[in-house]
Amino acid sequence: MAAFAIHGDIIWTEEPGAFRYNEGGYLVISDGKVVSVSDVRPDCEIVETDSSLVIPGLTDLHLHAPQYAFAGLYMDEELLDWLNHHTFPEEGKYSDPVYAGKAYSAFADDLQRTATTRVAVFGTIHTDSTLLLMDKLEKAGVAGYVGKVNMDRNSPDYLTENTDASVAETERFISMSSRFSSIKPIITPRFIPSCTDNLMQSLGRIAYQQDLPVQSHLDENLSEVEWVKELCPWASNYADAYNHYSMLGPKSIMAHCVWLNDDEIKLLRESGTYIAHSPSSNTNLSSGIAPIRKYLEAGLKIGLATDVAGGSSLSMFRMIQDAIAVSKLRWRFDASGGKALKFSEAFYLASKGGGSFFGTTGSFEKGYDADVVVIDDSRQSTILLKSLSVPERLEFYTYRHPDEFIKAKYVKGRRVL
Amino acid sequence: MAAFAIHGDIIWTEEPGAFRYNEGGYLVISDGKVVSVSDVRPDCEIVETDSSLVIPGLTDLHLHAPQYAFAGLYMDEELLDWLNHHTFPEEGKYSDPVYAGKAYSAFADDLQRTATTRVAVFGTIHTDSTLLLMDKLEKAGVAGYVGKVNMDRNSPDYLTENTDASVAETERFISMSSRFSSIKPIITPRFIPSCTDNLMQSLGRIAYQQDLPVQSHLDENLSEVEWVKELCPWASNYADAYNHYSMLGPKSIMAHCVWLNDDEIKLLRESGTYIAHSPSSNTNLSSGIAPIRKYLEAGLKIGLATDVAGGSSLSMFRMIQDAIAVSKLRWRFDASGGKALKFSEAFYLASKGGGSFFGTTGSFEKGYDADVVVIDDSRQSTILLKSLSVPERLEFYTYRHPDEFIKAKYVKGRRVL
């Protein structure tokens, strides 16, 4: 791919808490990678953006594509009731590839219009429908991982797999998904309560043998935590149960982690496991507020996630808002979780924080994948706009116009919107 | 005004917790008032809406128009710092009517596009700029109250009035605002810390003599509560200080009320004072979470409010989302505040709850003011749309498409959008 540069007001974070930016700078890209952010006009094709904001693509580290159709509904229930009354019946419909095709098209279309460039997505237990989802995401230009979900216990009949069949379908899923280039398979046991020991052992083995990443749920809700204690009396805690099946590590994402105890924090840190922090979902389902400051200080790896349909919005800008908001409330009610997140810290989590799960993405450092979103914020509604700094414009945009005015999106240097 | 009817999927609440709706019904309106919601096609002009949602106009019971320009900025600070660093300097600019005119035009334009039909708004200390604000709101078709703010202590020089001048300007403001028909004046001491005893006494007397409503701030932030204790050692609590100046009653709005103690709850109940619950602002400024369930059970009068720019959004649908969200988190951290709000309860607070401050508004009961918003939700993004009930469609719209697709808005039966 020929080198080119995007000329605009470029802003990114390399570590939590500090923006870097270059007003009227050049983001130089070659072979799909960032070469530099430069003050000097480079000698290559220049994409002019008329002083637009130029930011790294954002990462949604955890969401359920088959739940998108009802995201924003049934918000009056807690996790386990919500699963049984709404989520499972809806997921059952994805046995029909025609329904799945329609729903996943709507999902991929809406996701394409956001600033999200990387995702880690749950499908359903249905292999063929999940392959359809991969196809639609690949065509939408989004990169990342999609998992066929595994469930062989404590689930409605229509979502309960035979253990051997679940393993065989997982292998077929992995094999069939080799055709995709930007979307890759990920091993996806729904969570401990939905998967027998035998299934978990088989999935752990497949992940290890085929060097595949893993995603699941951990410590979301207090009732769920109690349930796992009953199901796995041999485990010293919920995280330890996943570790027993070799499912913790730098290629693993554990969604939520609202209620980690100190042993679990240690286990996640030592294993390098990623936390998909889902502030909106954890609020909607009355799960609680993960102490993100404490986790950051403990050295855990953290990205942000919509967890659609626990979260009602696909917008990572909304997740930045919500991560900050809940961190303030957590601090107010229980200061042991640490101080509130600042805007620059939440932006980091939504970009490089979660992006690092996919390699070098989510920043504009040299050699990073050129995942770029161009936002024409000149249309923002305020008479103050001309007096704002680049970080202030980004904050204003995040709160007032999330995912509006996106005029271009690039993934690995290729324009996808 | 001739009678007419709006034909659509009509939904409203008459008390917290229960939707009423009529799919394919007729909302019959005469002389600006609701006559009935009927199954039968009435013999008058019919406005066809093609199965749109037809809801009562929503009420924003507390917001600061001069802060709208920076709503969504500076979210990393707590109340008192945020006031001194950002809010006061911006409000100072409204001494210039040219600046005020531009900023208030943008505010009124954006407000007009929302589902809000009634407001209680703070201006600044500047009488002429505040009259400009009233003019713009009246032209935008929004009804309600606007206050010239009073401040004569503990404020920057450029926002500190001489006490006598503050009183005289308030009288001029009231007199000059008689030209408006839908927008009325309201007595607006900023809050106890900004107003001397003398000023508060004069304002209380003006409100009483001229039968005017009052709006102010109460128990928003713990540092503020401590400060008022020092300033008013003679008062048994913060609410009691307002009561001392005859500023509590059924024509008074007290914004926030996050930290009411039992004596204050009793005082607000007995006086019939309204609480403007501002969940988004109370989160953004790390103030806390008002125990709304407890207040409802105590019989307090409550409406919802954006509190722009403590809140970053003008959307009352977003306030419904946030009122539910924070009530869930409050329940999780401190169950003494009571159970979480349900969607139907939060919708009630945003419509009839706050609307009742303005008389009979916010519902479709017979004789209510015909404040109506028509929403073409057929454009909502979900393949489930056709299978949803009217309340489910409203919930989905509230979370996924707040203030989008509004195709008509009526205030007192007159079309304003």
Side-chain angles (χ1 to χ4, degrees):
Chain A
M1 234 190 292
F4 69 104
I6 300 172
H7 182 210
D9 298 337
I10 303 162
I11 180 165
W12 71 103
T13 48
E14 297 185 3
E15 65 277 335
F19 278 114
R20 306 217 170 198
Y21 61 100
N22 189 320
E23 198 166 355
Y26 297 88
L27 175 65
V28 186
I29 294 164
S30 179
D31 286 327
K33 302 280 185 186
V34 172
V35 176
S36 63
V37 177
S38 165
D39 291 326
V40 185
R41 190 177 179 87
D43 183 24
C44 61
E45 186 200 343
I46 307 286
V47 178
E48 292 294 343
T49 70
D50 298 324
S51 301
S52 288
L53 289 173
V54 178
I55 68 167
L58 302 181
T59 290
D60 189 345
L61 209 53
H62 176 69
L63 76 166
H64 296 260
Q67 297 174 15
Y68 181 62
F70 68 91
L73 281 171
Y74 320 126
M75 289 295 178
D76 289 343
E77 300 188 28
E78 259 198 88
L79 177 65
L80 299 179
D81 283 342
W82 175 83
L83 284 172
N84 290 317
H85 298 165
H86 306 293
T87 306
F88 291 151
E90 178 64 17
E91 290 194 13
K93 296 183 194 168
Y94 287 72
S95 62
D96 172 7
V98 176
Y99 186 85
K102 267 200 266 186
Y104 286 150
S105 284
F107 168 72
D109 285 353
D110 286 359
L111 186 64
Q112 187 177 31
R113 282 190 284 269
T114 69
T116 300
T117 51
R118 305 277 172 156
V119 290
V121 187
F122 278 53
T124 59
I125 60 167
H126 313 99
T127 304
D128 295 325
S129 292
T130 305
L131 290 165
L132 270 177
L133 170 60
M134 296 176 97
D135 184 54
K136 306 227 179 254
L137 288 176
E138 176 127 316
K139 285 178 180 147
V142 178
Y145 297 104
V146 169
K148 171 225 167 310
V149 174
N150 300 93
M151 304 163 74
D152 72 341
R153 69 171 174 184
N154 293 322
S155 305
D157 288 350
Y158 55 87
L159 284 181
T160 304
E161 303 171 289
N162 165 284
T163 306
D164 292 342
S166 182
V167 174
E169 279 297 292
T170 302
E171 284 172 334
R172 183 168 80 87
F173 168 71
I174 295 164
S175 155
M176 297 282 283
S177 59
S178 64
R179 78 184 89 168
F180 302 113
S181 60
S182 291
I183 296 288
K184 301 289 183 188
I186 182 168
I187 298 299
T188 306
R190 187 174 202 112
F191 65 156
I192 296 268
S194 305
C195 301
T196 59
D197 274 14
N198 281 344
L199 179 55
M200 290 299 274
Q201 269 158 11
S202 298
L203 295 175
R205 191 176 55 242
I206 293 173
Y208 178 73
Q209 288 174 344
Q210 304 203 36
D211 194 23
L212 291 174
V214 174
Q215 60 183 354
S216 196
H217 297 91
L218 174 62
D219 283 334
E220 177 173 7
N221 173 292
L222 289 172
S223 314
E224 170 213 9
V225 173
E226 286 307 308
W227 193 12
V228 171
K229 262 189 205 159
E230 289 165 27
L231 291 167
C232 304
W234 45 266
S236 51
N237 53 54
Y238 194 166
D240 180 53
Y242 285 112
N243 197 36
H244 174 77
Y245 304 118
S246 311
M247 286 184 177
L248 298 185
K251 298 183 74 172
S252 292
I253 300 167
M254 289 289 146
H256 308 304
C257 299
V258 175
W259 300 101
L260 294 180
N261 65 30
D262 288 345
D263 291 338
E264 290 176 296
I265 290 174
K266 188 157 175 278
L267 195 48
L268 293 199
R269 182 183 57 242
E270 288 175 353
S271 61
T273 303
Y274 275 77
I275 292 175
H277 176 42
S278 311
S280 202
S281 170
N282 297 335
T283 299
N284 285 333
L285 296 171
S286 299
S287 302
I289 303 175
I292 292 303
R293 169 74 59 202
K294 181 176 166 185
Y295 294 170
L296 280 171
E297 287 173 354
L300 299 186
K301 293 180 183 165
I302 306 168
L304 291 189
T306 62
D307 188 32
V308 159
S312 58
S313 169
L314 280 179
S315 168
M316 292 307 300
F317 293 107
R318 174 64 187 264
M319 291 312 110
I320 293 172
Q321 289 182 32
D322 288 355
I324 295 168
V326 301
S327 75
K328 289 172 173 173
L329 293 175
R330 162 125 203 159
W331 169 79
R332 174 58 70 198
F333 279 94
D334 175 6
S336 75
K339 280 194 190 161
L341 291 179
K342 298 208 172 293
F343 174 61
S344 52
E345 293 171 321
F347 186 83
Y348 171 87
L349 295 179
S351 52
K352 188 175 171 183
S356 62
F357 183 78
F358 302 84
T360 48
T361 80
S363 178
F364 290 152
E365 292 155 71
K366 183 175 165 56
Y368 267 60
D369 285 343
D371 289 10
V372 187
V373 176
V374 178
I375 298 160
D376 176 12
D377 76 327
S378 66
R379 295 167 60 202
Q380 297 203 77
S381 169
T382 179
I383 65 167
L384 299 179
L385 195 60
K386 286 190 193 313
S387 67
L388 298 182
S389 68
V390 178
E392 285 168 348
R393 280 165 53 196
L394 182 59
E395 183 183 16
F396 189 83
Y397 173 80
T398 297
Y399 281 93
R400 290 277 284 270
H401 301 282
D403 298 284
E404 291 183 56
F405 318 140
I406 292 176
K407 66 180 197 187
K409 186 157 106 170
Y410 299 81
V411 174
K412 299 177 198 169
R414 187 172 73 89
R415 185 159 179 179
V416 298
L417 183 73
Chain B
M1 231 189 294
F4 69 104
I6 300 172
H7 180 209
D9 298 336
I10 303 163
I11 180 164
W12 72 102
T13 48
E14 298 185 4
E15 65 278 332
F19 278 113
R20 306 215 171 201
Y21 60 100
N22 189 320
E23 196 165 356
Y26 297 88
L27 175 66
V28 186
I29 295 165
S30 181
D31 286 327
K33 302 280 186 188
V34 172
V35 176
S36 63
V37 177
S38 165
D39 291 327
V40 184
R41 190 174 180 89
D43 184 21
C44 62
E45 186 200 341
I46 306 285
V47 177
E48 292 293 345
T49 70
D50 298 324
S51 300
S52 288
L53 289 173
V54 178
I55 68 167
L58 303 181
T59 289
D60 189 345
L61 208 53
H62 176 70
L63 77 166
H64 296 261
Q67 297 175 15
Y68 181 62
F70 69 89
L73 280 171
Y74 320 125
M75 289 295 177
D76 289 343
E77 299 188 28
E78 258 197 273
L79 177 64
L80 299 179
D81 283 343
W82 175 83
L83 284 172
N84 289 317
H85 298 165
H86 306 293
T87 306
F88 291 152
E90 178 64 17
E91 289 194 14
K93 296 183 193 168
Y94 288 72
S95 63
D96 172 6
V98 176
Y99 186 85
K102 267 199 268 186
Y104 286 149
S105 285
F107 169 72
D109 286 352
D110 285 359
L111 186 64
Q112 187 177 32
R113 282 191 284 268
T114 70
T116 301
T117 52
R118 305 276 172 157
V119 291
V121 186
F122 278 52
T124 58
I125 60 168
H126 313 98
T127 303
D128 295 325
S129 292
T130 305
L131 290 165
L132 269 177
L133 170 60
M134 296 175 96
D135 184 53
K136 308 233 178 246
L137 288 176
E138 176 128 316
K139 285 177 179 146
V142 178
Y145 297 103
V146 169
K148 171 226 166 313
V149 174
N150 299 94
M151 305 162 73
D152 72 341
R153 69 170 174 183
N154 294 322
S155 306
D157 288 349
Y158 56 86
L159 285 181
T160 304
E161 302 172 287
N162 165 283
T163 305
D164 291 342
S166 182
V167 174
E169 280 296 293
T170 301
E171 284 171 334
R172 184 168 78 88
F173 168 71
I174 295 163
S175 157
M176 297 281 284
S177 60
S178 64
R179 78 184 89 167
F180 303 113
S181 61
S182 291
I183 296 287
K184 301 289 181 189
I186 182 168
I187 298 298
T188 306
R190 186 173 202 114
F191 65 157
I192 296 268
S194 306
C195 301
T196 60
D197 274 15
N198 281 344
L199 180 56
M200 290 298 276
Q201 269 157 14
S202 300
L203 294 175
R205 190 176 57 243
I206 292 173
Y208 178 73
Q209 288 174 344
Q210 305 203 35
D211 195 22
L212 291 173
V214 175
Q215 60 183 354
S216 197
H217 297 91
L218 175 61
D219 283 335
E220 175 174 6
N221 172 292
L222 289 173
S223 314
E224 169 212 11
V225 172
E226 286 307 306
W227 193 13
V228 172
K229 262 188 208 162
E230 290 166 27
L231 292 168
C232 304
W234 46 266
S236 52
N237 52 53
Y238 194 167
D240 181 52
Y242 285 112
N243 197 37
H244 175 77
Y245 305 116
S246 311
M247 287 185 176
L248 299 185
K251 297 183 75 171
S252 292
I253 300 167
M254 289 290 147
H256 307 304
C257 299
V258 176
W259 299 101
L260 294 181
N261 65 30
D262 288 345
D263 290 339
E264 290 176 297
I265 290 173
K266 187 156 176 280
L267 194 49
L268 293 199
R269 182 185 53 243
E270 288 175 354
S271 61
T273 304
Y274 276 77
I275 292 175
H277 176 42
S278 311
S280 202
S281 170
N282 297 335
T283 299
N284 285 333
L285 296 172
S286 300
S287 302
I289 303 175
I292 291 303
R293 169 76 57 202
K294 180 177 168 185
Y295 294 170
L296 280 170
E297 286 173 355
L300 299 186
K301 294 180 181 166
I302 307 167
L304 291 189
T306 62
D307 187 34
V308 158
S312 58
S313 170
L314 280 179
S315 169
M316 292 307 299
F317 293 108
R318 174 64 187 264
M319 291 313 110
I320 293 171
Q321 290 182 30
D322 287 356
I324 295 168
V326 302
S327 75
K328 288 173 174 174
L329 293 175
R330 165 126 200 156
W331 170 79
R332 175 57 71 198
F333 280 93
D334 174 6
S336 75
K339 280 193 190 164
L341 292 180
K342 298 209 172 290
F343 173 61
S344 52
E345 294 172 320
F347 186 83
Y348 171 88
L349 295 179
S351 51
K352 188 176 172 182
S356 62
F357 183 77
F358 302 84
T360 48
T361 79
S363 179
F364 289 152
E365 291 154 72
K366 183 175 166 60
Y368 268 59
D369 286 344
D371 289 11
V372 188
V373 176
V374 179
I375 298 161
D376 176 12
D377 77 326
S378 66
R379 293 167 62 202
Q380 297 205 77
S381 168
T382 179
I383 65 167
L384 299 179
L385 195 59
K386 285 191 195 312
S387 66
L388 299 182
S389 69
V390 178
E392 286 169 345
R393 280 166 52 196
L394 182 60
E395 184 183 16
F396 189 83
Y397 174 79
T398 298
Y399 281 93
R400 290 277 285 269
H401 301 282
D403 297 284
E404 291 184 57
F405 319 141
I406 293 176
K407 66 182 197 186
K409 185 157 108 170
Y410 300 81
V411 174
K412 299 177 198 169
R414 187 172 73 87
R415 185 160 178 179
V416 298
L417 183 75

